[in-house]
Amino acid sequence: MPRIEIELNPVNRLTADAIGPPGKRVFYLQAETDLETVTLIAEKFQLQSLAVGAEQFLAEIAERYPHLSEASPDYDEDRMLIQPPVDPLFRLADIGLGYSAEEDKVILVVHELLPEDVEEEPGIVRIWCTRSQLRALGHWGIDVANRGRPICPQCGQPEEPEGHFCVKKNGGHRRN
């Protein structure tokens, strides 16, 4: 049995955010019901992957159920900001997506990342949301990810505020 098992059904808020200066940000996924808020630590690439996967998943749902209205990508930035207290339950390992046609809800199944030497079953959080909440999360998540360090146009690596060691310029230092 998982050491933590939480079911949030339905959520009235689903968001992702980052706290800290670019290059040192910590990313979070947060879900909230009327009674409970769950915050999880994520990696930037996990939020980016979730955004892409959500769009693909919603396209599959739309194809399979053409009678459904289109999920909205709209969000209110003030409502998408992470809410305190930011006390993460665990660091996430992976996220799976499912759909209940009967309820017209999407489920995010989030598994905990455990150290290799731990023999417990990882924690699991199931987050039930609307298709529009998922699409808005994906669009917001991309916006949050893009607010980090600028990307070097030469090598595609993040630039630091103090400059950048660019391998495409034979190791030349590029100043912003």
Side-chain angles (χ1 to χ4, degrees):
M1 192 163 172
R3 69 180 196 91
I4 297 171
E5 191 166 1
I6 297 175
E7 184 108 6
L8 302 171
N9 187 8
V11 295
N12 51 33
R13 199 169 73 78
L14 177 62
T15 192
D17 209 349
I19 297 175
K24 294 180 171 57
R25 297 186 299 166
V26 177
F27 291 86
Y28 299 92
L29 179 68
Q30 190 175 64
E32 180 181 290
T33 67
D34 289 335
L35 303 173
E36 187 172 18
T37 299
V38 172
T39 304
L40 307 169
I41 296 177
E43 296 295 332
K44 179 179 177 178
F45 80 88
Q46 290 172 314
L47 295 181
Q48 293 167 319
S49 296
L50 176 58
V52 171
E55 282 301 315
Q56 292 169 346
F57 187 69
L58 291 170
E60 290 171 16
I61 292 171
E63 188 176 304
R64 189 166 179 191
Y65 303 98
H67 65 282
L68 293 174
S69 61
E70 185 173 345
S72 171
D74 298 336
Y75 59 82
D76 174 2
E77 184 169 340
D78 290 336
R79 186 149 160 73
M80 297 302 281
L81 298 173
I82 196 167
Q83 298 298 310
V86 180
D87 185 20
L89 185 62
F90 59 71
R91 180 175 295 275
L92 65 92
D94 57 56
I95 303 173
L97 295 172
Y99 180 68
S100 169
E102 298 80 36
E103 298 180 58
D104 188 21
K105 284 188 191 165
V106 174
I107 182 172
L108 286 77
V109 181
V110 183
H111 294 100
E112 177 182 19
L113 179 65
L114 290 176
E116 290 182 23
D117 59 342
V118 173
E119 296 195 18
E120 297 177 271
E121 277 195 53
I124 187 168
V125 176
R126 292 179 194 87
I127 302 168
W128 290 89
C129 65
T130 66
R131 291 176 292 111
S132 290
Q133 285 174 313
L134 180 64
R135 178 161 279 154
L137 172 67
H139 283 246
W140 169 250
I142 293 296
D143 284 353
V144 167
N146 289 339
R147 292 178 182 179
R149 295 173 287 178
I151 301 299
C152 173
Q154 300 292 321
C155 69
Q157 295 299 312
E159 294 182 2
E160 300 299 333
E162 59 276 357
H164 172 65
F165 185 80
C166 182
V167 296
K168 295 279 185 166
K169 295 225 174 214
N170 292 326
H173 220 35
R174 180 175 130 78
R175 290 297 235 175
N176 299 342

